[in-house]
Amino acid sequence: MGNTGHGETFLFWVGSIISILGALGLIFSKKIVHAALCLCTVMLCLAFFYMAQGAVFLGVVQIVVYTGAVMMLFLFVLMLIGIESQDSLVETIRGQRWLAVPFVLAFGFVLIGVYAHANLPEFVGTDAANAKGGGNVQSLALLLFSRYFWAFEVSSAVLITSATGAMVLTHRERTVPRKSQREISIERFERWGKGEKVSLTGLPNPGVYAQHNAVDTPALLPDGSPSEASVNATLRGRDTVRGFRPLPLPGARRNGAAVASRGDAGNEEVSQ
Amino acid sequence: MNPDNYLYLSAILFTLGALGVLIRRNAIVVFMCIELMLNAANLAFVTFSRMHGALDGQVIAFFTMVVAAAEVVVGLAIIISVFRTRRSASVDDANLLKY
């Protein structure tokens, strides 16, 4: 079984190009969410490769565990600690990035050279091994619960330990009692009484319009200018606040133009 | 096509993952690159399993996935707790043990 069929050849070349592009995207994309999407692409391609190579169970597990659970966890943590956190360009070790490229390239060439020079045996294929137990899943189960029984037990211990560890690491003991809404309000009025600039009523909601109805659209103040405070500070920091362009008022061409120009000025203010 | 090409692909993916670990500074991206390296190793395991006609390689890849899942859970918890104290997800900022 020296060669694969035409279908698998086609799958391999398409999938390998996509997965290498995905890996490059993972390394070089600026936004972390894009990097996560690229990694998802690579993992899906690998799942197809597993299935093409007779490891059907592993292919399904790859999709369920990696692209399902693990990437979900990554995106969840991204959401928690902020998407806007950019890579710092300061190098702690000087010239590390530029040195890393030739070293990694050399490593890759060594790895490929080892494969190229290794005396690899002819491919046997997994069909016979799969058929022995009556299917891929059954054969894997036979191995897992006989030869690899001990490793299987230990892996369950690893999973329990990691779940406990995650809970311990992210747990935070509350040292002061949680403030009630009433206490927060009283505190706010006290600060206002001392002359601090506090909004007593709470911050305004984002705008609700026929065109956009989203948290990144600022509400309009009575004079027509967008309100900074109505948009989440994270969105303002990430500079993704949607501008608002008011529609021209019917029957008032001159005033409408004035309103529009004022609206544009407001947009610039928001986007800054 | 010779099925050896899967091995070359896994070598290339592993190398790209290593490159990402070395040149990126964001802890989450570094972590994702490590996942890429683990996946590349899994691909090699599955290919070797097919080469030898034995399912042991697939069982090992399965265990790799289990360990990777555990590692992701603990690693992301560490990243979150570092972020809470240092307000940064950069791997260079967590350097208190140095002093």
Side-chain angles (χ1 to χ4, degrees):
Chain A
M1 195 175 155
N3 281 315
T4 57
H6 289 300
E8 195 184 340
T9 309
F10 180 73
L11 175 77
F12 175 80
W13 289 116
V14 172
S16 62
I17 289 168
I18 292 175
S19 56
I20 288 175
L21 286 180
L24 286 173
L26 164 66
I27 302 174
F28 292 114
S29 58
K30 282 221 172 71
K31 288 190 175 168
I32 310 178
V33 177
H34 295 174
L37 277 178
C38 287
L39 186 58
C40 265
T41 319
V42 178
M43 286 171 170
L44 281 175
C45 287
L46 289 187
F48 285 125
F49 290 155
Y50 293 166
M51 291 187 195
Q53 302 214 65
V56 183
F57 177 69
L58 264 191
V60 175
V61 168
Q62 167 89 1
I63 290 177
V64 171
V65 171
Y66 268 117
T67 52
V70 170
M71 293 315 295
M72 199 65 231
L73 206 60
F74 269 113
L75 289 176
F76 195 73
V77 170
L78 265 186
M79 205 172 68
L80 276 179
I81 74 173
I83 298 173
E84 77 272 23
S85 53
Q86 291 286 331
D87 246 5
S88 68
L89 291 170
V90 185
E91 286 183 318
T92 317
I93 306 169
R94 217 154 53 91
Q96 187 213 348
R97 275 178 203 178
W98 296 115
L99 271 177
V101 176
F103 272 105
V104 166
L105 277 181
F107 172 73
F109 279 125
V110 168
L111 214 54
I112 291 174
V114 166
Y115 280 141
H117 282 276
N119 198 3
L120 294 172
E122 282 288 298
F123 274 70
V124 178
T126 43
D127 292 341
N130 278 343
K132 207 165 66 181
N136 182 242
V137 181
Q138 287 92 330
S139 311
L140 273 182
L142 279 179
L143 267 182
L144 206 55
F145 294 115
S146 59
R147 192 183 299 167
Y148 295 97
F149 167 73
W150 184 235
F152 186 74
E153 291 293 322
V154 171
S155 70
S156 73
V158 167
L159 282 178
I160 291 175
T161 316
S162 71
T164 322
M167 281 193 279
V168 169
L169 279 170
T170 52
H171 180 71
R172 206 165 28 165
E173 201 77 40
R174 187 174 278 283
T175 46
V176 285
R178 192 190 165 98
K179 280 180 190 162
S180 69
Q181 202 172 8
R182 182 186 162 82
E183 283 165 344
I184 291 173
S185 185
I186 290 172
E187 198 178 77
R188 206 186 272 156
F189 268 90
E190 277 172 356
R191 283 170 61 196
W192 177 71
K194 285 178 199 154
E196 278 184 57
K197 275 198 172 262
V198 190
S199 86
L200 290 174
T201 51
L203 297 173
N205 288 332
V208 177
Y209 308 109
Q211 298 159 296
H212 311 292
N213 177 13
V215 284
D216 59 349
T217 320
L220 292 189
L221 294 175
D223 64 344
S225 59
S227 161
E228 277 264 333
S230 66
V231 183
N232 191 331
T234 311
L235 291 177
R236 270 183 274 150
R238 214 185 290 162
D239 206 11
T240 55
V241 176
R242 212 188 273 270
F244 178 75
R245 192 175 297 277
L247 295 170
L249 293 172
R253 287 184 76 86
R254 205 172 292 162
N255 285 350
V259 166
S261 69
R262 201 168 59 204
D264 285 345
N267 284 347
E268 282 168 19
E269 194 181 293
V270 167
S271 62
Q272 271 167 9
Chain B
M1 179 196 86
N2 194 332
D4 289 352
N5 286 350
Y6 284 113
L7 296 176
Y8 296 124
L9 176 66
S10 97
I12 291 171
L13 288 181
F14 192 92
T15 311
L16 286 175
L19 183 66
V21 170
L22 285 177
I23 67 173
R24 293 300 295 257
R25 284 285 147 268
N26 191 303
I28 295 183
V29 180
V30 169
F31 224 66
M32 288 199 277
C33 290
I34 293 175
E35 289 301 312
L36 180 63
M37 291 162 80
L38 283 169
N39 268 290
N42 271 352
L43 180 62
F45 272 127
V46 172
T47 311
F48 280 123
S49 147
R50 181 188 187 187
M51 179 190 289
H52 294 289
L55 293 183
D56 298 67
Q58 293 183 23
V59 176
I60 300 289
F62 177 72
F63 282 129
T64 313
M65 281 184 189
V66 172
V67 173
E71 170 233 334
V72 162
V73 168
V74 176
L76 287 179
I78 291 175
I79 289 177
I80 285 183
S81 54
V82 167
F83 183 81
R84 264 190 199 151
T85 49
R86 320 273 309 177
R87 285 281 139 205
S88 152
S90 172
V91 285
D92 282 344
D93 284 347
N95 54 3
L96 266 182
L97 280 179
K98 221 167 78 175
Y99 304 112

